[in-house]
Amino acid sequence: GQQVMQIPQYQHVQEGEDFTTYCNSSTTLSNIQWYKQRPGGHPVFLIQLVKSGEVKKQKRLTFQFGEAKKNSSLHITATQTTDVGTYFCAAQGSANAGGTSYGKLTFGQGTILTVHP
Amino acid sequence: SAVISQKPSRDICQRGTSLTIQCQVDSQVTMMFWYRQQPGQSLTLIATANQGSEATYESGFVIDKFPISRPNLTFSTLTVSNMSPEDSSIYLCSVKPREDTQYFGPGTRLTVL
């Protein structure tokens, strides 16, 4: 089945430093989603990337989808203590792959971000 | 956006028993899923809950262990049957109300002794 590798597993930064997490797939993805899960919480949808080479920004967060649609990254500029949590990428099944795969998400292992004040 | 509630929020159960988890959405959604997140791990899809027909299970998950009901477009249940300590996880309901977004419920934290 589809696999998505995410690195690093852990990242410790000082407040104000930048942070990046990467996702890679051996197969071309139809799209990729990013989620944030605070400690003790549930995954919260951040964004979906669909187009090759797409770049989207949300305040200090920048999301990129690779040209080959096999990799993606999430970059946080000038981290704050509120950014603490686990960031997951998730590849979504394509509607073209058959009705039963649409909407199904294959999650990366997640990157646990800690921010030291 | 879709607001999802789950019951119970947490439970501690004895091995060999069963627990039914409820998922309620505040709007009608076609696509509804059940995920499991084992301690310190990522999320794994258990099944797609289909309204009016049997759920579609992922590899490694079977109906006898995780029976699912989906009586309408706003509600679903997941039962964890004949539980063992290995079933201790967070179980999350998820919906996809639109093409470009997906939401997760708050989760049910299950501990099996």
Side-chain angles (χ1 to χ4, degrees), chain B residues 21-81:
Chain B
I21 302 167
Q22 298 179 4
C23 175
Q24 180 75 53
V25 190
D26 69 342
S27 57
Q28 292 187 341
V29 289
T30 302
M31 306 299 297
M32 184 179 282
F33 309 90
W34 285 98
Y35 285 81
R36 180 174 75 180
Q37 186 174 27
Q38 294 179 300
Q41 301 297 312
S42 185
L43 287 84
T44 301
L45 179 64
I46 298 172
T48 302
N50 302 309
Q51 195 265 331
S53 64
E54 198 169 277
T56 305
Y57 290 85
E58 297 302 303
S59 176
F61 299 97
V62 295
I63 187 171
D64 290 345
K65 176 68 175 176
F66 297 102
I68 289 171
S69 78
R70 179 89 191 271
N72 55 54
L73 292 177
T74 63
F75 185 79
S76 178
T77 67
L78 168 74
T79 299
V80 186
S81 304

Side-chain angles (χ1 to χ4, degrees), chain A residues 37 45 92 102 104-105 108, chain B residues 35 37 42 58 96 99:
Chain A
Q37 185 174 25
F45 176 84
Q92 180 178 281
Y102 179 65
K104 292 167 42 175
L105 295 174
Chain B
Y35 285 81
Q37 186 174 27
S42 185
E58 297 302 303
K96 188 173 180 62
E99 163 62 29

